[in-house]
Amino acid sequence: MDDHLLGWLRTLDEDRLARVLTNRQDAIAAPWPRRLESLAQRLTNGFAVMEAMRSLPQPCLELAQTCLVLDSPTVPALAEFLDATADDVRHWLDGLYDHALAWPDRDGHIHLAEAVSRWWTAPLGLGEPLDHYLNSWTISNDTLRLLSRNLGLPPHGNRRRTIARVAEVLGDATRLTGLLSNAPEGTRQFLEEFAWDGPLRDVDGNRFVLPGTPERWAADHGLLYRPNWHVAEMPREVALSLRGPDYHPPFTPVAPEIPGIPVDPEEVDHLMTLAAPHLVERCAALLDNTAKTPLPLLKTGGVGVREVRRLAKETGCDEDEARLLLEICAVARLLALDDKSGGMVPTDRFDRWRLDEGSVRLRVLLSAWWRMERSSLRKIDGKYPTALGDEQSGAAIARVRRAVVQVLCSLPSGIAFAERGALVRAVHWHAPLLDQALLAECAPAVLDEARLLGVLANNALTDLGRALAGLAAKAGDENDDCVPVVEHDPHLVEVSTRALASVRRSALFGPDLTAVVTGPPSAELAALLDRSADRESRGAASVWRFSAESVRRALDDGYDCDELLEELASVGAIPQPLEYLVRDVARRHGEVTVTTVGCIVQASDPGLLAEIAGHRRLSRLGLRLLAPTVLVSSAPAERTLALLRENGYAPVTVADTGEVEIRRRTRVEEPQNGKLILLPGGQVAELPPPYVLTEPTPDPHEHAKRLVTAHENVEVGARTWAVIGRTATRLPTAQQSLLGFVVDRGVRAGIRLTDGLTATISHGELRGGVLDAWCEEAGDYLEFPLAEIVEVRATF
């Protein structure tokens, strides 16, 4: 924990602290901190700091690099070094302050989080300060005195004073210029390469031992240092002196302009209302297709091009659309690998998804795309990657997608971007830590994906895209089963409902056995017509044609004649030719029957089988006599065997080889019961496995108020063991010690109270005879009387 950070947090009011917590939701994740000390510790976590830096625009990171270079960075010093106005510097420093990546002390000096300095090994292309090299154990006092003589300095004095003199000479551009005037030819050009393209460069180590070479002269005068034989590096002060007094680090406080062209907002909205229902409809068709024919995977992983093309042809999608929808359905957990079939098949979640309203289905798909860590439409060397294959870039692709959409959201409504290159430059300014090569490669694919999903239309962001752009911080990642924050966002709910408001739920049936839908069909209407007719065209109007084969396909799927006619009549008036076609096909349907048999019961005694077939308690097996010595059961063999034994018969199983098979039954352990937990307010509840409870993040403003007004009423750490030993008398000594670690070190442990209640706790504090600790089951801090704790166990 940084003491400067803690001191700065103590000076903040509720509003300013709330701004920090809003930008650093990781710092108030459960179990949320109750003290500023705990908050400061979380804010300086290395991984969290690096993740927060990804959300900062270019000026903030330029200021952070500059602060790392200056010895005592202040606003005036930064403004002078950057050749910028103090107002611009203060404005973008506030961005660092609001993320707790930098903070000022009382004297105005700016401090950076330790993890920020680890992001850049050479900020602004500059090396370590000169004293880093001169204070090294490899530099002896004799070497330091020799360096002083070479620079024309008095060799006497202590080591610290000598280092200060050397740094003063090499850090002065004028004196360094005079020094270089006596250097061998080519020395300045050689050093300029280090100053501008360093600080670390490969060199010929042999030239550093040859007298009269620029390398040897630079090393003798402290301008270069070699960590190993063929690598040299230049100190920071030397590089700045060589760059000259007119050098100013890059600082771009203004974002690059994105040329825009006006578009009709009504047309953009209309295109969104066409694309959104099409997305839901095509996803349903794709998943229905995989339900009939599992999608096989390649041996190397992923779905092959041939299968993607087959799927696209059978579902009416184009290839790009099929690739994208496969990826989205997999992330949404609507499609998963089935070991039995060896391919991708719809999951149980698909059965629930298809019964939801259209807007709910749309939000599930958009949420999956928003966190998807693959780009199915990105071309590498002119080829698409394997659909559902491995992706090395992973989360970086999701960050590129969100960055592109967020920059598009900054354009006014009714304005489309005119140039893709300008858009990529603007995205890089807003998210400079994104890999530029990956950004340039993925940006076209992101735009193509957005068009297919109704997020982008006529190169302008639709309302669906603007709703998603505001949810970048809540997107989650690809491993999340679902993201309710995104799927249930009120603004996205409103927009998705409107996006599907124009869907058509009726069709025009013609006497030529066609059905025409003038507009985007609803998923239910499209599914009905796809089951009973063949689609011939799509677009502003979709056309289906009925035939004997298509009607028979519907009857094969379980419809009877009257049911199919009734459903078709509910979406439009049925002409007489269509009714005749359906009834004619239904009349011939079922001329040949195929019966499913659960198992066969055989006996040599026909009388015994007749008795079994007529047994009232065995009627649930659906026994039918096929021959005097053969019965057919509709139930599986295991169930038939069990019921026969329950009713006094002695059957045995027969293997496929015809031999009698006796299997020894193995013991199956009973499932464990639920878990008794404490809920906020002292209520008790029992959860079945796997004990899932959502732990909402506290409101930043409310939590800021709680932190500012918190009282330091925690027992002194040295008294923890005494209080526990005196109060928790039901616990043995070892368990008392474990409970002490819950208080002093915040470890996790499971406890049981006298009334049988169990809880998993951590981050405890002692308040008299009560343990105030975080309860994972309740998702809140609860109080547990120490005298009522009867067991403490380690939890991993």
Side-chain angles (χ1 to χ4, degrees), residues 156-360:
H156 56 272
N158 60 34
R159 186 181 181 91
R160 181 178 300 178
R161 177 59 179 161
T162 303
I163 292 175
R165 290 171 181 166
V166 171
E168 183 180 355
V169 172
L170 299 182
D172 188 329
T174 304
R175 299 176 70 175
L176 183 59
T177 301
L179 185 66
L180 289 172
S181 62
N182 299 321
E185 184 179 355
T187 301
R188 186 170 190 97
Q189 180 181 358
F190 172 68
L191 293 176
E192 291 278 355
E193 294 175 354
F194 277 89
W196 294 101
D197 300 322
L200 206 66
R201 291 177 64 87
D202 293 333
V203 294
D204 182 358
N206 296 321
R207 292 181 60 83
F208 278 80
V209 296
L210 295 177
T213 61
E215 290 85 351
R216 173 66 181 271
W217 187 90
D220 289 343
H221 290 79
L223 305 181
L224 291 178
Y225 294 86
R226 287 191 300 160
N228 57 58
W229 186 257
H230 289 295
V231 174
E233 54 186 328
M234 177 176 284
R236 180 178 302 171
E237 293 87 347
V238 176
L240 286 174
S241 297
L242 289 171
R243 292 182 183 184
D246 296 330
Y247 164 73
H248 299 288
F251 184 56
T252 52
V254 180
E257 183 179 356
I258 304 176
I261 54 176
V263 293
D264 185 2
E266 293 185 359
E267 183 180 357
V268 171
D269 194 68
H270 175 66
L271 292 175
M272 177 188 72
T273 59
L274 292 178
H278 178 78
L279 168 65
V280 177
E281 174 203 342
R282 289 299 88 197
C283 268
L286 182 145
L287 291 166
D288 282 333
N289 184 280
T290 55
K292 299 174 184 176
T293 307
L295 200 61
L297 299 180
L298 300 172
K299 292 182 179 179
T300 56
V303 179
V305 176
R306 182 178 300 177
E307 286 298 324
V308 172
R309 289 174 179 170
R310 177 194 63 79
L311 189 65
K313 182 179 179 181
E314 294 180 0
T315 57
C317 303
D318 58 37
E319 186 178 341
D320 287 357
E321 195 174 20
R323 297 176 64 86
L324 175 61
L325 296 184
L326 276 176
E327 301 278 6
I328 290 176
C329 289
V331 175
R333 305 298 191 268
L334 302 176
L335 194 66
L337 176 64
D338 179 59
D339 293 332
K340 185 176 181 180
S341 63
M344 304 292 289
V345 298
T347 63
D348 294 339
R349 181 170 292 180
F350 169 60
D351 297 329
R352 298 190 297 270
W353 176 82
R354 71 188 312 168
L355 296 177
D356 283 331
E357 295 181 359
S359 61
V360 177

Side-chain angles (χ1 to χ4, degrees), residues 122-134:
L124 301 180
L126 299 171
E128 298 287 347
L130 189 61
D131 59 5
H132 169 81
Y133 304 95
L134 297 181

